[in-house]
Amino acid sequence: MNKYDFTKIEAKWQKYWEDHNTFRAGTDYSKPKFYALVEFPYPSGQGLHIGHPRPYTAMDIVSRKRRLEGYNVLFPMGWDAFGLPTENFAIKNKIHPAIVTKNNVARFKSQLQSLGMSFDWEREINTTDPDYFHWTQWIFLQMFKKGLAYKKEMAVNWCTSCKVVLANEEVVGGVCERCGGEVIRKVKSQWMLKITEYAQRLLDDLDEVNYLERIKVTQRNWIGRSTGAEVDFTTTAGDTLKIYTTRPDTLFGATYMVISPEHPVIEKWQDRLENMDEIRAYQEKAARKSDFERTEMAKEKTGVCLKGVRGINPVNGKEIPIFISDYVLMSYGTGAIMAVPAHDTRDYEFAKVFDLPIIEVVKGGDVTKEAFTDCATGIMTNSDFLDGLTVEEAKVKIKAWLEETGKGKTKVNYKLRDWVFSRQRYWGEPIPIVKCEKCGYVALPESELPLTLPDVDSYMPTDNGESPLATLDEFIHTTCPQCGGEALRETDTMPQWAGSSWYYLRYCDPKNDKELASKEALNYWMPVDWYNGGMEHTTLHLLYSRFWHKFLYDCDVVNTKEPYMRRTSHGMILGEDGQKMSKSRGNVINPDDVVAQYGADTLRMYEMFVGDFEKTAPWSTSSIKGCKRFLDRVWGLQEILTDGDTYREVVQSKVHKTIQKVSEDIESLKFNTAIAAMMEILNEVYATVEINKAEFRTLLILLNPFAPHITEELYETYCGGILNEQEWPKYDPELCKDDTVEIAVQVNGKVRAKIDIAVGAEKDDVIAQAAADSKIAEILEGKTIRKQIYVPNKLVNFVAN
RNA sequence: GCCGGUGUGUCGGAAUGGCAGACGAGACAGACUCAAAAUCUGUUGUAGGCAACUACGUGUGGGUUCAAGUCCCACCACCGGCACCA
């Protein structure tokens, strides 16, 4: 027998696939389609990480199976190539980021090809390609025209290390998601995208897609819808202060009010306020705090009472004090609250610090000890016309009262904020807007797209918060497309999330220079049938791209409300020590080394076999040998191969069961047990005895999606022809059954014997056979049988004493 | 604090309420070899027993059931996310 020379075999088939364009997505739109998608990588300088092949192999398996099932499959790949690391590398080594990107892409691509991924490379895209970002800019312009992109002076998250503005989603635990640097608040003029306008639809349409439940839950929490009421409190200054509350039922318990330190009403009242110095000092202190510090100091409540203005509770006319405190956020609700210390934990803490009255309005707890926040069991008290009602009844009644009297109204709020869309960086899509003295912000005409990046000598970010582009006079100065007068270009660029928010659409028609993709291609390929990607993108890329898609749906560019039908997620691969792989820990595994030592097929098998696909799993340099041994043994089957066009009767049911198991497990992400099933049939049925051609052929096709090279090679040698042109095997449920089955016989729930019975035997016969077993008869001797449990083809249980 | 998730041999992990530990690794023993590696065969949850076998065993404590890793209640530990959102 010739040796299993995986290096030679893998190179041979990779070349064959490339030469024959084997995995090109067809343009025959009459065939049933299947669109499988994996997140396109950021081509970093480190090359492919050992974690990358896990989701890629999973979707490759599904894609290969679908092709064998007769689908027209789109399984594309591209590069999300704008971004900071490339820019930093370019700065450090004085190489243009475009060159850096080109080199990194070349390396990534050859690495992916060496893994035998069945991507359609004719559809390769790159977000930094002007032909691509032409349409990223175009989408931005449509948003600008519809008022969804707007510029706003506001406090933003500023990473002191990256020297760049971050979206709320990019701030994790008070620090920069990417570099871990300190994030402070900085007031800047920023481009914003009105994702909040789509909050309700982003929430509602989750019901129409098949995402893992935890993904839906995370998105729902992030959107954070709450229903409450806005209530107008008049003040002794003669105006009204609008507050938001989810507990309007507790209005009678409001004993003070709190507004955010940034609330504009302070400026309005400054002549009336007697302690303005104290107020200013507190405002400044709050403004200086980073988000992280604000969280740190969350334990002890601080604040300043406004002397000179008081609020008036609309339900009872009582005057109550107004405080400023940084536990109230300007960016949520109205930036002002009514405080009900008896029934809100934070208000309770604040009231204790400032010794404010606590009035119980919901019975059920002990408000002398802690706030009582349970809505489900409480009964209203001290609340005039609400007394005796449950909390839910009271909410309905008070809302009606507010609407009637015009003192308030029902209001829905979301935690979701608009998307901060500007970055002060060079290596990103230029924002196609100019600022004209006369006309304000003006969109570039679509004919001027793509607006490309100018060549510069220095890409260094600046400390003053300006983009490197701002230093380029020839780039900045331009004319206004509207009035022809002098104008300045926008110098900020788009965030990395821009290019990835619509890339799945471009794959449908990647070379189109008239539109982002043709209607015909979009109508055929969309939506993506199955999208697998990381959990870490749930509130970033996944939410952003759903938003863009819905916008494009409204613009009649796409014909589906949602971009992705099914979303699944893979677990991370950890180092052998169970820690995240990192250079500093020295636990990094390089995929190139694994391919060289074991081959791509073994790497693919192992990444799928390592554990539950959805969970993190530590790498094991010894366990991977098991997968190599399995492939060696498949190779060795040549030795015992015999003729035969049909499965032998003795192995028939095992073959059908294996087809069923592998087919079903692939669909439900249980790749590890699919592989186990193939190992099992090899161990139990084929290994030492014989395998005929029909059986061999079926095994090779089942194994092909997992280990495409070795199976193609064996198929070509022994079955003739190309495996990729064959059909996925079918199983017959009737033939999955055995003639006889071993069942357990229990006495009082404990297994005491095992007997063989004919499948589908009559209940009475089986029980008689079980009772007749010598062991069972001995145990039952002298006992009375109280009950006989019979589970067909599984067990018999005698309950006796 | 809130929301998710997870707890099973030495390790990774399997188990529609129905024989716990499939499959893989590791370990041990044997075969082959001058030897090692590779390969092949066997054993491998714990305790007791020469053995057939017996008892115990899925984070902890209760419960439902003829039968619980699986369902219910309470708790513990770890992981992830959100975190003053009124």
Side-chain angles (χ1 to χ4, degrees):
Chain A
M1 185 181 72
N2 54 341
K3 187 173 158 266
Y4 169 37
D5 184 349
F6 53 81
T7 308
K8 207 170 132 196
I9 293 169
E10 289 174 3
K12 170 185 163 184
W13 287 102
Q14 283 159 20
K15 181 163 190 320
Y16 178 93
W17 295 328
E18 195 174 357
D19 290 348
H20 291 78
N21 252 311
T22 308
F23 306 117
R24 175 197 285 156
T27 45
D28 177 0
Y29 291 170
S30 64
K31 275 178 81 175
K33 66 97 183 181
F34 187 82
Y35 186 174
L37 187 64
V38 290
E39 288 170 347
F40 61 162
Y42 173 68
S44 72
Q46 279 87 50
L48 208 64
H49 183 272
I50 198 74
H52 281 118
R54 198 182 193 193
Y56 298 169
T57 306
M59 286 295 101
D60 192 44
I61 288 168
V62 173
S63 296
R64 286 174 179 273
K65 177 170 180 267
R66 285 289 182 282
R67 289 192 197 96
L68 294 170
E69 287 170 335
Y71 287 87
N72 185 16
V73 172
L74 174 54
F75 185 43
M77 183 39 82
W79 317 104
D80 190 14
F82 275 128
L84 275 177
T86 300
E87 187 170 329
N88 289 340
F89 184 89
I91 291 166
K92 207 170 150 196
N93 298 284
K94 306 225 182 307
I95 310 174
H96 195 282
I99 309 283
V100 179
T101 298
K102 200 173 157 227
N103 294 341
N104 290 349
V105 162
R107 168 135 185 247
F108 260 74
K109 186 170 177 180
S110 84
Q111 286 184 304
L112 287 179
Q113 284 176 322
S114 81
L115 294 173
M117 296 295 165
S118 67
F119 295 125
D120 177 358
W121 288 108
E122 285 191 351
R123 290 174 187 253
E124 179 180 350
I125 59 173
N126 185 327
T127 54
T128 66
D129 184 346
D131 291 337
Y132 180 88
F133 71 67
H134 180 154
W135 303 104
T136 313
Q137 291 173 332
W138 181 84
I139 296 169
F140 180 85
L141 283 187
Q142 309 314 306
M143 288 200 171
F144 178 72
K145 286 173 190 169
K146 294 247 160 67
L148 289 169
Y150 63 99
K151 197 142 191 189
K152 189 183 173 192
E153 178 93 10
M154 64 174 297
V156 292
N157 309 300
W158 175 262
C159 173
T160 50
S161 157
C162 298
K163 292 169 184 167
V164 71
V165 163
L166 302 175
N168 292 318
E169 290 83 351
E170 290 173 302
V171 182
V172 175
V175 300
C176 173
E177 173 214 35
R178 216 168 6 231
C179 73
E182 193 198 359
V183 174
I184 60 166
R185 294 151 53 78
K186 188 161 183 160
V187 175
K188 275 189 66 66
S189 178
Q190 300 293 318
W191 282 99
M192 306 286 294
L193 295 187
K194 240 185 232 175
I195 189 171
T196 50
E197 191 136 305
Y198 284 75
Q200 190 62 49
R201 284 163 67 187
L202 288 167
L203 190 64
D204 290 343
D205 292 349
L206 284 174
D207 295 336
E208 292 176 20
V209 291
N210 175 17
Y211 290 3
L212 292 180
E213 196 52 32
R214 61 192 165 124
I215 296 175
K216 290 191 184 184
V217 168
T218 305
Q219 287 211 347
R220 283 190 192 112
N221 289 345
W222 189 261
I223 294 167
R225 184 187 202 268
S226 72
T227 317
E230 277 184 355
V231 183
D232 292 330
F233 279 62
T234 53
T235 71
T236 55
D239 51 10
T240 60
L241 186 54
K242 198 184 280 292
I243 63 103
Y244 175 71
T245 179
T246 56
R247 294 292 305 274
D249 52 295
T250 61
L251 253 169
F252 286 92
T255 54
Y256 61 97
M257 300 175 80
V258 187
I259 62 175
S260 157
E262 297 93 17
H263 202 289
V265 81
I266 294 166
E267 300 310 314
K268 201 171 139 199
W269 291 344
Q270 55 179 313
D271 294 340
R272 291 174 167 269
L273 294 172
E274 296 153 21
N275 57 338
M276 208 53 207
D277 290 349
E278 205 187 344
I279 293 165
R280 287 273 181 248
Y282 188 83
Q283 284 180 312
E284 275 164 36
K285 209 171 109 198
R288 270 202 314 276
K289 281 185 196 174
S290 68
D291 280 3
F292 188 65
E293 282 173 315
R294 278 205 182 187
T295 314
E296 280 273 273
M297 299 190 179
K299 284 151 203 149
E300 183 75 342
K301 294 273 181 289
T302 59
V304 174
C305 184
L306 304 187
K307 296 196 176 118
V309 181
R310 289 164 76 82
I312 298 162
N313 190 335
V315 286
N316 55 18
K318 271 190 196 159
E319 271 188 28
I320 53 178
I322 304 172
F323 286 79
I324 60 169
S325 173
D326 63 5
Y327 85 90
V328 173
L329 310 173
M330 195 58 229
S331 50
Y332 183 77
T334 62
I337 63 160
M338 65 168 189
V340 185
H343 305 290
D344 182 281
T345 315
R346 295 147 306 177
D347 297 346
Y348 192 89
E349 287 166 9
F350 192 88
K352 282 290 170 192
V353 173
F354 288 89
D355 199 22
L356 293 155
I358 296 168
I359 300 173
E360 180 183 59
V361 290
V362 184
K363 280 188 285 192
D366 181 357
V367 299
T368 61
K369 292 205 180 73
E370 57 178 4
F372 177 66
T373 56
D374 184 0
C375 294
T377 60
I379 298 295
M380 303 309 296
T381 184
N382 295 328
S383 294
D384 195 343
F385 59 91
L386 299 178
D387 283 351
L389 299 178
T390 65
V391 168
E392 286 313 313
E393 289 163 352
K395 277 184 182 174
V396 173
K397 190 158 183 185
I398 191 75
K399 279 180 190 170
W401 183 86
L402 287 169
E403 303 268 358
E404 255 171 53
T405 57
K407 290 178 178 171
K409 61 173 202 272
T410 298
K411 169 81 179 171
V412 172
N413 262 326
Y414 303 90
K415 289 188 197 175
L416 186 70
R417 317 265 171 87
D418 277 344
W419 177 3
V420 181
F421 199 67
S422 315
R423 296 295 181 277
Q424 296 69 40
R425 284 286 169 160
Y426 174 77
W427 196 229
E429 300 89 345
I431 293 176
I433 298 283
V434 302
K435 189 179 182 182
C436 169
E437 285 279 312
K438 268 190 268 172
C439 316
Y441 293 107
V442 180
L444 282 192
E446 287 176 17
S447 60
E448 285 186 30
L449 298 184
L451 173 62
T452 54
L453 283 163
D455 273 326
V456 295
D457 296 330
S458 170
Y459 321 108
M460 283 293 282
T462 58
D463 291 325
N464 65 7
E466 290 289 338
S467 160
L469 294 179
T471 61
L472 291 178
D473 285 346
E474 64 273 32
F475 176 75
I476 309 173
H477 294 288
T478 184
T479 52
C480 173
Q482 207 161 292
C483 71
E486 270 188 33
L488 296 174
R489 283 195 199 281
E490 173 59 57
T491 57
D492 283 356
T493 52
M494 298 187 196
Q496 197 181 359
W497 312 108
S500 57
S501 289
W502 70 281
Y503 75 114
Y504 57 91
L505 297 174
R506 188 64 174 170
Y507 283 137
C508 297
D509 191 12
K511 304 211 165 61
N512 196 321
D513 58 1
K514 303 279 186 301
E515 49 198 339
L516 63 83
S518 78
K519 197 95 189 162
E520 192 191 14
L522 290 173
N523 286 351
Y524 176 68
W525 287 113
M526 289 303 294
V528 173
D529 293 280
W530 191 341
Y531 188 19
N532 186 84
M535 272 310 280
E536 71 275 16
H537 289 136
T538 304
T539 55
L540 288 158
H541 159 67
L542 193 65
L543 195 64
Y544 293 154
S545 59
R546 289 184 61 224
F547 160 47
W548 278 37
H549 191 89
K550 287 184 182 304
F551 170 71
L552 292 171
Y553 176 77
D554 292 345
C555 296
D556 201 28
V557 173
V558 296
N559 67 334
T560 61
K561 280 199 235 170
E562 283 285 333
Y564 320 117
M565 286 307 288
R566 182 178 184 189
R567 169 78 176 190
T568 55
S569 232
H570 56 276
M572 224 190 329
I573 304 251
L574 303 173
E576 274 199 276
D577 52 3
Q579 304 280 310
K580 203 171 165 179
M581 280 191 199
S582 74
K583 269 193 209 154
S584 56
R585 286 202 189 87
N587 59 356
V588 174
I589 303 285
N590 181 340
D592 292 342
D593 296 342
V594 180
V595 170
Q597 190 177 355
Y598 296 104
D601 281 339
T602 296
L603 174 59
R604 293 168 58 109
M605 291 288 287
Y606 180 61
E607 295 235 356
M608 292 298 99
F609 189 61
V610 64
D612 184 334
F613 181 69
E614 294 185 42
K615 295 197 196 123
T616 56
W619 183 265
S620 165
T621 44
S622 64
S623 282
I624 190 172
K625 289 180 196 155
C627 292
K628 176 61 164 51
R629 283 179 194 145
F630 171 69
L631 293 182
D632 283 338
R633 291 169 49 172
V634 170
W635 187 258
L637 289 174
Q638 300 173 67
E639 296 272 278
I640 54 167
L641 189 58
T642 59
D643 282 333
D645 307 333
T646 55
Y647 307 141
R648 287 167 293 146
E649 208 176 318
V650 283
V651 303
Q652 175 172 274
S653 80
K654 188 71 186 171
V655 173
H656 281 269
K657 273 192 241 176
T658 305
I659 296 170
Q660 177 175 21
K661 180 82 180 148
V662 173
S663 303
E664 291 176 356
D665 283 359
I666 288 174
E667 300 305 321
S668 52
L669 295 170
K670 290 158 84 177
F671 304 105
N672 52 342
T673 50
I675 292 172
M678 289 185 281
M679 289 173 166
E680 205 177 293
I681 195 172
L682 185 78
N683 293 345
E684 286 179 16
V685 182
Y686 301 140
T688 52
V689 198
E690 68 164 308
I691 182 167
N692 77 19
K693 277 206 180 155
E695 295 149 12
F696 193 48
R697 190 173 179 276
T698 295
L699 180 67
L700 290 179
I701 299 176
L702 290 179
L703 183 57
N704 173 263
F706 298 83
H709 311 86
I710 186 177
T711 47
E712 276 290 2
E713 182 69 18
L714 289 169
Y715 197 94
E716 183 187 46
T717 310
Y718 295 98
C719 306
I722 297 301
L723 196 156
N724 275 305
E725 294 162 8
Q726 310 306 312
E727 268 181 40
W728 188 255
K730 294 189 171 56
Y731 64 89
D732 181 343
E734 283 304 306
L735 294 175
C736 287
K737 292 174 189 156
D738 292 298
D739 293 339
T740 64
V741 66
E742 189 187 66
I743 66 163
V745 183
Q746 299 179 333
V747 178
N748 295 332
K750 290 192 174 168
V751 179
R752 297 298 180 181
K754 289 172 185 182
I755 58 172
D756 287 320
I757 60 153
V759 166
E762 290 297 318
K763 176 181 175 180
D764 292 347
D765 295 346
V766 175
I767 289 174
Q769 197 184 328
D773 182 90
S774 58
K775 185 90 196 295
I776 298 299
E778 197 184 309
I779 296 168
L780 291 178
E781 176 97 50
K783 288 184 176 145
T784 317
I785 295 175
R786 303 278 170 206
K787 205 167 173 183
Q788 296 171 346
I789 312 286
Y790 169 67
V791 183
N793 303 327
K794 283 276 160 60
L795 61 66
V796 173
N797 186 13
F798 294 105
V799 183
N801 60 9

